[in-house]
Amino acid sequence: MTKIIVANPHGFCFGITRAINVAVKTSKNKDKPIFFLGEIVHNQHVVDWLESSLKIKTVQSINEIPDGSIVIIRAHGATPQVFQQAKDRGLEIVDASCPLVLRSHRTVKDLASQKKQIIFLCNKIDHDETVGVVGEAPDFATPVTLDNIFDFPINNPKDTTVMTQTTLSTIETQKALLFIKNKYPQITILPHICQATTDRQQAIVKLAKKYHFIIIVGSPTSANSNSLKSVAQSSGAKAYIVDNASELQPEWFLNQKDIVISSGASTPESILDKVIEKIKLITRQ
Ligand code: SF4
């Protein structure tokens, strides 16, 4: 009989819960039109639910927001230029940025004020968090992906600090940071992978080593969900990521006795439950 093991912790982190609560509270207390600037969290199910239940529309730029409205800044933060644009337009700004992302903003600002170069290690240079953090000091901060860091030339390591996106794979990041420290012993390293990301990945690493087959429920745009898949694979497991139950492929489950499931920090529990139900159907428990 197939056993399904749900990793713990999994699902919503503190920053995502907070951003959702900020949106709900804003919708209750204000009578102006409200807009999300970009996906408030990287999960379409959550975005659809908030848009329909709170009557908040998502737009991609400040220019799309009518005068006299409220703009909610997503959990991944935004550049100072975006805040300025909103202020210039006279929009009311509600900041739902995760405080741990804002900590990276402050660190970049602080290092740039000391004329230090910053390398922001990320999974994608156009990820919202990366754009927001690097936007604090574009003349000093350079986004470099985990794939590209091994060939990236660092000209002044003594005055360079390497920071990390909050949701990277802890395993791949450790490899990259070790490589950088060996190559440039004088460099400063300030890892900023958040606790929620670390805890979820540690749970998956443990289970991946024991059970070797993992399903991650999360959006393809969710960095932390993709990192869960990455640590599962780095720990020797076969791993798949699905946005919802319809993406499960029955052939994945042939001869699988133990199936581990986890979900990204922006995946609602209801979607995870539906995936579990479908897996039970596929494996006929
Ligand atoms: S994953 Fe970490 S940094 Fe990102 S929103 Fe959640 S708590 Fe904040």
Side-chain angles (χ1 to χ4, degrees), residues 203-224:
I204 280 298
V205 168
K206 235 189 200 167
L207 292 167
K209 286 181 179 159
K210 189 164 176 196
Y211 296 109
H212 316 294
F213 184 77
I214 312 247
I215 300 289
I216 305 295
V217 189
S219 163
T221 57
S222 158
N224 76 82

Side-chain angles (χ1 to χ4, degrees), residues 13-16 75 98-101 129 166-167 194-197 224 265:
C13 62
F14 132 85
I16 297 300
C98 175
L100 303 180
V101 171
E129 179 186 338
T166 53
T167 48
C194 78
Q195 198 58 47
T197 298
N224 76 82

Side-chain angles (χ1 to χ4, degrees), residues 149-174:
I149 190 68
F150 296 94
D151 301 318
F152 187 81
I154 299 172
N155 299 325
N156 186 5
K158 194 167 153 285
D159 285 320
T160 301
T161 299
V162 180
M163 289 174 58
T164 65
Q165 196 181 333
T166 53
T167 48
L168 292 183
S169 151
T170 47
I171 295 177
E172 298 310 311
T173 304
Q174 205 179 7

Side-chain angles (χ1 to χ4, degrees), residues 123-260:
N123 59 359
K124 283 187 184 166
I125 61 167
D126 59 354
H127 184 277
D128 298 326
E129 179 186 338
T130 306
V131 173
V133 173
V134 170
E136 288 289 350
D139 293 341
F140 293 91
T142 310
V144 183
T145 64
L146 274 174
D147 289 339
N148 292 339
I149 190 68
F150 296 94
D151 301 318
F152 187 81
I154 299 172
N155 299 325
N156 186 5
K158 194 167 153 285
D159 285 320
T160 301
T161 299
V162 180
M163 289 174 58
T164 65
Q165 196 181 333
T166 53
T167 48
L168 292 183
S169 151
T170 47
I171 295 177
E172 298 310 311
T173 304
Q174 205 179 7
K175 280 186 208 160
L177 294 182
L178 215 80
F179 169 85
I180 296 169
K181 197 67 188 167
N182 280 337
K183 193 165 175 191
Y184 306 103
Q186 288 177 304
I187 209 160
T188 304
I189 291 182
L190 284 181
H192 270 210
I193 297 180
C194 78
Q195 198 58 47
T197 298
T198 307
D199 293 345
R200 281 155 185 70
Q201 290 186 14
Q202 275 174 354
I204 280 298
V205 168
K206 235 189 200 167
L207 292 167
K209 286 181 179 159
K210 189 164 176 196
Y211 296 109
H212 316 294
F213 184 77
I214 312 247
I215 300 289
I216 305 295
V217 189
S219 163
T221 57
S222 158
N224 76 82
S225 302
N226 285 299
S227 292
L228 280 175
K229 180 184 165 194
S230 166
V231 292
Q233 289 173 329
S234 303
S235 306
K238 190 177 251 191
Y240 297 98
I241 185 165
V242 292
D243 178 57
N244 59 66
S246 73
E247 294 183 356
L248 294 166
Q249 305 293 321
E251 59 270 24
W252 296 346
F253 300 92
L254 291 174
N255 305 320
Q256 293 299 342
K257 290 246 167 307
D258 301 309
I259 299 161
V260 174

Side-chain angles (χ1 to χ4, degrees), residues 55-70:
K55 308 277 174 279
I56 301 178
K57 198 178 161 204
T58 302
V59 293
Q60 299 307 324
S61 81
I62 293 283
N63 296 337
E64 295 171 64
I65 303 177
D67 289 344
S69 305
I70 298 170

